[in-house]
Amino acid sequence: TDISKIRNFSIIAHIDHGKSTLADRLIQRTGGLTEREMSAQVLDNMEIEKERGITIKAQTVRLEWKGHVLNLMDTPGHVDFAYEVSRSLAACEGALLVVDAAQGVEAQTLANVYQSIEHDHEIVPVINKIDLPAAEPEKVRAEIEDVIGLDASNAVLASAKSGIGIDEILDAIVERIPAPKGDADAPLKAMLVDSWYDPYLGVVILVRVMEGTLKRGQQIKFMQAGTTHLIDRVGCFRPKIEQLPDLGPGEIGFITAQIKEIAQARVGDTLTDAKRSAAEPLEGFKEVQPVVFCGLFPVDANDFEKLRESISKLRLNDASFSFEMETSAALGFGYRCGFLGLLHLEIIQERLTREYDLDLITTAPSVVYQIELTHGGGHIELHNPADMPDPNKIESIAEPWIEATIYVPDEYLGSILKLCQDRRGIQKNLTYVSGRAQATYELPLNEVVFDFYDRLKSISRGYASFDYHQIGYREGDLVKMSVLVNAEPVDALSMIVHRSTAESRGRGMCERLKDLIPRHLFKIPIQAAIGGKVIARETIAAMRKDVTAKCYGGDISRKRKLLDKQKEGKKRMREYGSVQIPQEAFIAALRMG
Ligand code: GDP
Ligand code: MG
């Protein structure tokens, strides 16, 4: 392809502003798919992605418009996948900025657009959903100018749903977004943008060629990984897969090279010719590390083998989560897993439950703590609160902090600031633009991983948005809080907390457990403790001897139902010190209320 005829762009938007709908529309208009094939959203092809309305893996599609080749790069839509987003953006020269005409600019819009600006993108604003009665395109146009500082005088007014403004958007891409640059004769330099596992093709690698040419039959080298591979397929997606003889500079497409595991194909790596190598790899490569850890245990111990297989299968397609075997006195055999963030954790957990039909207990999510031991005892990275060393062997503990940007209508600001305060937040900045506040806070990651996002949404009736990045480790007065049910510690509920919040956390936890654990035939004490010291306590009163006594002997079918219900309940319970704890209690108890 003639490089001057190529346009590489991504679409940036806040969730639900219409990114996927617009992408589908562009594909349809340029002839990639028929109306019938359009019935399902094409780019969001994973079930969970569709339900949650987010893109988990980056995808790309090649469009043809008036003699030009337009490569549309779809980027993941969540903070957990920020690094993947940055690589996708680095593969493009421009972006469509989609803003909902009824909602206006939101936090995710801002975070994404600033990234896009950092990558020197030419940005084409698109005001979408102008068909809605509540649409206020002129207000949104002004907002794009005031809040983001972009010229929006030539923003395209569109409705991805009704097909308004689609040709104008395609023309704007050709006219306003610059063609890529690159020398076809230079040694090959291509960026690995994404990789995934396909059962027929093996590992498929999405690349953006910067310099030189990628060809079938070429021996290539991954400069970061240091491995060499023979390319056996080169092609693109329209969105259907199509093989091509080669990919020149500026082009985006895929290769396969008989790679068995995606762990070998890391996002951001540089592909070069094995015989005629580039001198330097491309900038910006980063090794992604999981930041949130939790244990996953089968409710039924017999399911361990199934869990092992399912996790291994999921891992084939997601090299960013880690897992290793873990045993717990109470929960038996399971896995300690690491994730890029809570959403990532929830996605994997949901897939295991849904696609692999597993009943799982998830232990309290934890971040990674850096611990210095006394008397030159060395340094440990703590991934699991259960492994916390004895407090008098600890010299210091440091925890990861983040910088969060929260964007919220003024009326909810007070309660949002209180929430941040309660979570040990340090306010860095507070600004107001057109009836909305933008607050920047430094927060300990461990105060955010539980339910911060849910709280934020419920306090603001869904209006607040939130975005964050990590800013490093800081020392803190952190202690391990254990939970004891009938005098037995429940590993899955132990967590590391700041001393100043330990008591209220402990009290909340005991109160919630009191409601979540059903009565037994005996009295059950529930305690939260730090070291040997009890900081909170509740007691569940004993139940009368016979449950069925409630039925006053009469109604036999009702009695049976009650017994069946008990039986069914049993399957999903764990036993601690002869106390049955329902599976739901584990997750529910962690919500801070
Ligand atoms: P994404 O999260 O940015 O990918 O958003 P989607 O494309 O999934 O769209 C979110 C919701 O907005 C869906 O229910 C779409 O049908 C709807 N939507 C998208 N574009 C338009 C539009 O132009 N007008 C209207 N009325 N609804 C739209
Ligand atoms: Mg989408």
Side-chain angles (χ1 to χ4, degrees), residues 168-207:
E168 287 85 336
I169 292 173
L170 289 161
D171 288 341
I173 293 166
V174 169
E175 282 157 24
R176 299 196 227 160
I177 295 176
K181 295 193 187 76
D183 179 356
D185 299 322
L188 174 69
K189 249 190 197 186
M191 181 172 65
L192 198 160
V193 179
D194 194 13
S195 66
W196 61 91
Y197 185 81
D198 182 283
Y200 301 103
L201 304 175
V203 173
V204 179
I205 292 172
L206 185 68
V207 291

Side-chain angles (χ1 to χ4, degrees), residues 15-16 18-21 41 43-44 49 52-55 74:
I15 288 172
D16 278 349
K19 183 169 88 165
S20 304
T21 311
Q41 277 197 346
L43 288 182
D44 291 351
E49 291 191 358
R52 291 178 173 245
I54 52 155
T55 308
D74 196 20

